[in-house]
Amino acid sequence: MLIKHPDDILPSEITPQGLYLRRRDFIKTGVGLMGMAAGATLLPGPAHAAPKTAPPFSTAQKSPLSTTGEELTPHHDITNYNNFYEFGTSKADPSRRGDTLQTRPWTVSIEGLVRQPKTLGIDDIIKLAPLEERIYRMRCVEGWSMVIPWVGFPLSSLLKQVEPLGSAKYVEFYTAVQPENMPGVRRRVLDWPYLEGLRLDEAMHPLTIMAVGLYGEALRNQNGAPMRLVVPWKYGFKSGKSIVKIRFTDKEPRTSWMKAGPNEYGFYSNVNPEVDHPRWSQARERRIGEILKRPTLMFNGYADQVASLYTGMNLKINF
Amino acid sequence: MQASQQQLALIKAALFLLCLLPLGWLIAGFCADVLAINPFGLQDEVLGTNPVEFIIRDLGVWALRFLLLTLCITPLRKMTGMHWLLRLRRMLGLFAFFYALLHFNIYLGLDQSYDWGEIAKDILKRPFITIGMLTFALMIPLAVTSNNAMIKAIGGKAWQRLHQLIYPLSICAVLHYWWLIKLDTTQPAIYAGLLAILLMVRVRDYWRKLRQRY
C-alpha cells in the first residue's frame, strides 16, 4: 500500500519539550507576583505522581507519518480533559480519580481467530517494536479536537505476534474493568467492559498505533495507561483505553457505544464532516485552545492515507 | 414577616448583585484562563480546557436555574406568607432572560461564527437546537412585558395569561438540556425533577380552587 507522506514539519518549528513543559512556571510566577501584590495567596496546583520520563518514552523516534504544521495541544489540556467513563462522565473525572488504576502488573491477552494466542506483559509489549513519536490530530465526536504527540508503535507489529487466521475479519479491543479502582463502572452508563472494534485492514493500517506514552513520558492513567489504541481518522471513542484483551473475530463487533445508541454511533465512526451525528453537526470542531470553530476535515485530514480502505462504501449508511 | 419599602429596596439591590455573580465568575475565569489576566490569583481551572463550551453551558444552566427560581416565588410566598417576595419575581425572571440572551448570543457568535446558513440548518435539523430556539422565542414576549407600563397597557388579566407561558417554556428549557447530553442525563434529570415539583404545586392549587368553586 502506498502511504503518502504529509508535508514535513521543520524541527525548528517544534517547541523543545523541556521549554514547553516549563511554560506554566513562567505564568505562575507572574500570577504569583500579582497575587502577592493583591495580598492574596496562590493555591498550589494539584499534585501529580511523577511521570516516567526515562527512556524508552523520551527517546522515541520521530515518525514520518506524523501530522505536520500544527501546534501541539498543551500537555496540561491533554491530561485534564478526558472522556474515560470508567472514572466518571465528567471531563475532569479521569484526571481526578485516575490515580487508583493499577497498571502493573498488566497483561494483554490476544486471542480468538489466531494461530498463536498469547498473553503478554506490558513491559514486554513495549519492547516488541521501536517506539515512535506520532503526532496526530484527535477529533472527539462531541465536536472538539486536539493535536497530540503520542509515543507508540504500529498496532500491526503487535497483531502479527499471534498470526491471525484467514477467517479473522475484525479485531475487538477490551478496556480493563477494575470496579474497586474505577468508580465509573459501578453505574451502568455503558455496557462494561468498554468494547471497541476495527476491521482487520483498519487495524493493520500503518497509521493505527498502540500508544504507551505522550509528550515523551509514559501514558498517564487518564489517557489510557498503560496502553491504548489510537486510530487518528476515527472519532476519539473508537480508540479504546487501558487495553487488556484483543480478540480476532469473523463478525462485526457490537461496540459499547453502538449498544448505547445504535442510531447515533456506528461501527465505522470515521471522522466525516458530511455525516452528522443525529443530534449535532459534525461539519466543524473547536480545536482546544482556539475560540472559534474550524472546519472538520474528511477522515480527520488523513484521507490521502485511508480513503482507499472505504472505496465503494456508502459512508452515510456505514457511519 | 413583612418588609418595609426601605428594607425591600435593600433586598432588591442585594439580590441584583447576587444575580450578577455567575456572570462575574465567568468573566473573571475568562480573563484568567484565556487572557491570562488574573488579579485575584484564581487557579487556571475556572473554565477548564474548553472555555467556550463551558461558558455556553454555564450560561444556559443559569438561565434554567433563574427560571426555576422565578417559579419558586409563588409557592414560597403562599407557604410563608411573605408577600413581598412577589416583588422580587420580575428581577429573577428578567435575569433568566438575561442569561438566556447571553447563552443564545455566544452560541451564535462563538459556536456558529454568525454563519446564518449553518444556524438555520441547525435550527431545522437538530431537535435540541429547535427547542432551545423555541424556549428563547417564548421568553421574549415575557421579558418585553415585564414592566409596569406594559402591565397597564395589556391589562392585568391578559398579562397574567401571557406570563403563564413560563410553564411550557420551562419544560422546553429542560428538554433542550436533556437532548444535548450524550449519555449521562443525571444533571438534566435533577432539573426536570425540580420543575415537576414546581408545576405539581400549581396543578394542586388549581384543583383546590376548582373544588372550592363548586
Side-chain angles (χ1 to χ4, degrees):
Chain A
M1 193 185 320
L2 175 74
I3 303 300
K4 289 184 188 163
H5 287 199
D7 300 335
D8 271 336
I9 187 168
L10 293 171
S12 60
E13 286 174 358
I14 302 170
T15 308
Q17 190 206 349
L19 195 64
Y20 194 81
L21 293 174
R22 285 197 306 275
R23 76 208 179 284
R24 268 168 206 276
D25 299 340
F26 170 77
I27 297 171
K28 274 185 187 149
T29 314
V31 169
L33 287 173
M34 275 194 273
M36 274 187 279
T41 46
L42 182 70
L43 294 165
H48 282 296
K52 254 182 154 176
T53 48
F57 306 102
S58 56
T59 51
Q61 289 300 307
K62 296 199 182 311
S63 165
L65 295 175
S66 278
T67 299
T68 56
E70 294 205 67
E71 202 181 322
L72 299 183
T73 300
H75 180 273
H76 178 83
D77 292 337
I78 299 174
T79 53
N80 282 277
Y81 193 71
N82 309 100
N83 278 323
F84 197 166
Y85 282 10
E86 282 82 343
F87 294 105
T89 53
S90 110
K91 297 279 188 301
D93 286 338
S95 55
R96 241 184 346 226
R97 302 167 165 178
D99 284 351
T100 50
L101 183 74
Q102 292 302 312
T103 57
R104 290 294 186 289
W106 189 279
T107 56
V108 181
S109 107
I110 313 179
E111 55 189 62
L113 300 173
V114 297
R115 201 157 289 125
Q116 293 273 341
K118 276 183 182 169
T119 300
L120 299 167
I122 184 66
D123 295 309
D124 298 324
I125 292 176
I126 291 173
K127 288 179 205 130
L128 277 179
L131 294 185
E132 303 170 26
E133 184 194 66
R134 294 273 187 117
I135 301 170
Y136 281 159
R137 287 178 285 270
M138 208 281 298
R139 166 68 153 81
C140 179
V141 72
E142 296 165 357
W144 52 267
S145 62
M146 297 183 176
V147 181
I148 304 175
W150 299 108
V151 175
F153 53 86
L155 174 63
S156 59
S157 61
L158 178 59
L159 299 187
K160 279 173 193 155
Q161 300 291 316
V162 295
E163 299 169 44
L165 297 174
S167 51
K169 295 281 180 285
Y170 298 92
V171 192
E172 297 176 336
F173 302 89
Y174 292 84
T175 294
V177 179
Q178 297 179 3
E180 60 291 2
N181 303 324
M182 292 172 144
V185 300
R186 290 171 210 155
R187 280 182 60 210
R188 225 175 168 72
V189 288
L190 281 170
D191 190 25
W192 315 116
Y194 189 86
L195 167 65
E196 258 310 334
L198 295 172
R199 223 168 54 192
L200 189 58
D201 57 345
E202 297 174 324
M204 300 302 279
H205 192 279
L207 284 185
T208 306
I209 60 166
M210 276 293 180
V212 293
L214 61 83
Y215 265 114
E217 63 177 47
L219 219 50
R220 296 187 187 205
N221 294 352
Q222 61 265 40
N223 296 105
M227 182 178 87
R228 52 99 39 95
L229 188 63
V230 177
V231 194
W233 70 93
K234 292 173 180 281
Y235 294 115
F237 68 88
K238 290 296 291 180
S239 297
K241 299 185 175 85
S242 305
I243 300 292
V244 290
K245 187 166 89 175
I246 298 172
R247 201 171 139 257
F248 289 77
T249 145
D250 52 359
K251 281 184 208 68
E252 186 182 282
R254 230 177 130 237
T255 68
S256 293
W257 277 103
M258 288 166 79
K259 285 185 206 165
N263 305 322
E264 305 196 2
Y265 307 98
F267 174 74
Y268 287 95
S269 292
N270 293 316
V271 175
N272 188 337
E274 279 143 41
V275 178
D276 292 334
H277 183 278
R279 289 187 285 149
W280 54 82
S281 161
Q282 294 292 27
R284 286 193 272 198
E285 68 199 51
R286 181 169 286 114
R287 177 66 51 83
I288 293 303
E290 294 178 355
I291 299 287
L292 295 178
K293 291 190 167 182
R294 53 163 73 202
T296 287
L297 305 173
M298 189 64 199
F299 294 115
N300 204 21
Y302 300 99
D304 284 353
Q305 291 105 311
V306 302
S308 59
L309 293 171
Y310 309 101
T311 319
M313 271 176 71
N314 183 331
L315 298 176
K316 281 202 162 71
I317 295 165
N318 298 287
F319 60 95
Chain B
M1 187 187 97
Q2 296 308 315
S4 71
Q5 276 309 323
Q6 217 174 3
Q7 283 171 324
L8 194 65
L10 215 69
I11 291 170
K12 273 184 159 178
L15 182 65
F16 186 83
L17 292 177
L18 216 56
C19 292
L20 281 173
L21 276 184
L23 179 64
W25 179 243
L26 285 180
I27 292 173
F30 188 81
C31 288
D33 289 9
V34 182
L35 309 177
I37 303 167
N38 194 356
F40 304 110
L42 296 175
Q43 279 191 283
D44 59 354
E45 280 298 278
V46 177
L47 307 184
T49 295
N50 197 342
V52 176
E53 187 170 298
F54 184 96
I55 290 170
I56 293 179
R57 294 260 176 119
D58 201 52
L59 289 169
V61 170
W62 275 107
L64 178 57
R65 286 176 186 154
F66 277 107
L67 274 177
L68 296 185
L69 283 173
T70 310
L71 285 172
C72 284
I73 293 290
T74 297
L76 260 183
R77 185 175 68 107
K78 285 184 182 163
M79 270 163 52
T80 61
M82 286 151 61
H83 296 292
W84 54 270
L85 282 172
L86 192 59
R87 309 272 296 271
L88 306 178
R89 191 171 63 180
R90 178 185 293 167
M91 194 195 297
L92 292 172
L94 282 172
F95 265 108
F97 180 71
F98 173 66
Y99 280 99
L101 186 71
L102 291 175
H103 173 66
F104 173 71
N105 272 290
I106 291 180
Y107 157 78
L108 293 182
L110 298 189
D111 242 25
Q112 298 291 3
S113 308
Y114 295 111
D115 181 338
W116 301 107
E118 275 300 311
I119 293 164
K121 263 206 321 225
D122 233 15
I123 297 173
L124 292 174
K125 282 172 74 177
R126 327 271 164 226
F128 96 87
I129 299 282
T130 316
I131 201 150
M133 290 289 169
L134 179 67
T135 311
F136 184 67
L138 290 174
M139 287 177 97
I140 294 171
L142 306 198
V144 170
T145 57
S146 285
N147 55 70
N148 292 342
M150 282 306 269
I151 298 176
K152 213 177 252 173
I154 300 173
K157 263 260 148 34
W159 184 88
Q160 251 177 351
R161 283 195 62 106
L162 174 68
H163 279 248
Q164 281 170 354
L165 273 178
I166 192 172
Y167 305 135
L169 82 81
S170 298
I171 296 172
C172 291
V174 168
L175 284 177
H176 170 58
Y177 191 8
W178 196 293
W179 288 347
L180 94 95
I181 300 288
K182 227 167 42 161
L183 202 58
D184 185 2
T185 48
T186 314
Q187 286 296 318
I190 291 170
Y191 290 97
L194 292 172
L195 178 62
I197 293 168
L198 290 167
L199 294 181
M200 302 269 259
V201 172
R202 267 93 181 166
V203 173
R204 187 198 62 189
D205 290 355
Y206 183 73
W207 277 110
R208 278 190 185 160
K209 229 201 245 162
L210 275 188
R211 261 217 314 258
Q212 274 167 7
R213 210 179 290 169
Y214 300 106

